[in-house]
Amino acid sequence: MHKVFITLATLALLSACSRGPKPQPIDAASLNNPPQTNAANQPPAGQAGAPASYPNSPQQPYGAQQPYGAQQPPSGPSSAMPNQAPAPPPPILIPAGTPVRVRLEQSVDTRRNRAGDRFEATLISPVEVDGQVILPRGTPFEGHVTQSSPSGHLKGRAILGVELDAFRLNGVSYPVVTSIDDRVSGRHRKRNWILIGGGGGLGATIGALAGGPAGALIGAGAGAGAGTAGAYFTGKKNVAIPAETALTFRLRREVRVSGA
């Protein structure tokens, strides 16, 4: 009797377990149209529950890693510096005392030129510093007349002075201060003595032949006067420097030339 009771209890328990909830049938329409996420229920970016968004950062699946040795993109503005222009070379110094040899492009003289008149010249010997040519042959120069005065008719000397003011190199004009080339005419004394004395002697000779001793005295005075007049009208001297003349100046101050 006891065994029959145990068997009935076991059958009742198995029958209760087999009576669970029945599975619901699957709708085919729900498989083709998955449920939409409501944007209103999503938390905004930057708050809890939403992943932070970083600009300029590539989107990668969670847990993905960069390959070893790959460069990470910068997280901020680019730190690369823009290309800067190279610094200009330092200027080259032409020291004081350097000789400058030029050729005049036009003539200059005391007869037609006055102080302040301009003239042009061309460098005929290159200027070098430590074996490096700074001013090549053919560099144009310009200068001016410092003084110009002809001599008097019977005394004094003619004086002519010139100096350089600037040169032009690579489109840039550089001022210079140079020595002055002064030129002075010869004296009048010898020439005047020849003209006046010669005129007096010739007059005396002519007077003696014409009127004896008295005529000689008169002729000497007349001849001397004529000689003096000739010396006055022909005795004025001038100084000229013809075109193509080579002149050598020296720098009185140093000159700084832009480096090439």
Side-chain angles (χ1 to χ4, degrees), residues 111-244:
R111 183 174 53 187
R112 62 182 182 85
N113 291 109
R114 296 293 177 264
D117 288 353
R118 313 293 301 178
F119 66 87
E120 295 179 350
T122 302
L123 188 68
I124 57 178
S125 297
V127 175
E128 299 182 1
V129 175
D130 296 332
Q132 179 182 1
V133 176
I134 307 302
L135 303 182
R137 181 177 181 179
T139 300
F141 277 77
E142 61 180 16
H144 74 280
V145 177
T146 58
Q147 60 178 338
S148 175
S149 58
S151 68
H153 290 281
L154 297 177
K155 62 180 181 179
R157 294 185 177 187
I159 301 175
L160 179 64
V162 293
E163 71 174 340
L164 298 177
D165 297 325
F167 64 87
R168 195 166 187 83
L169 181 67
N170 298 328
V172 180
S173 181
Y174 296 90
V176 296
V177 178
T178 67
S179 58
I180 299 175
D181 188 306
D182 286 325
R183 305 203 172 195
V184 182
S185 68
R187 293 179 178 273
H188 286 274
R189 292 179 182 177
K190 183 176 180 180
R191 182 177 182 277
N192 291 346
W193 181 84
I194 293 175
L195 289 175
I196 295 173
L202 179 61
T205 301
I206 295 175
L209 294 176
L217 292 175
I218 296 173
T228 302
Y232 179 84
F233 287 109
T234 62
K236 191 173 184 178
K237 293 187 176 183
N238 291 285
V239 176
I241 306 177
E244 303 295 326

Side-chain angles (χ1 to χ4, degrees), residues 57-129:
S57 177
Q59 299 296 330
Q60 295 182 354
Y62 178 76
Q65 296 182 355
Q66 291 283 350
Y68 179 77
Q71 294 183 352
Q72 296 292 336
S75 58
S78 176
S79 60
M81 297 297 294
N83 294 331
Q84 298 181 354
I92 301 173
L93 180 66
I94 303 177
T98 300
V100 179
R101 188 169 177 80
V102 298
R103 180 186 65 247
L104 285 182
E105 296 298 326
Q106 65 268 2
S107 62
V108 181
D109 61 60
T110 57
R111 183 174 53 187
R112 62 182 182 85
N113 291 109
R114 296 293 177 264
D117 288 353
R118 313 293 301 178
F119 66 87
E120 295 179 350
T122 302
L123 188 68
I124 57 178
S125 297
V127 175
E128 299 182 1
V129 175

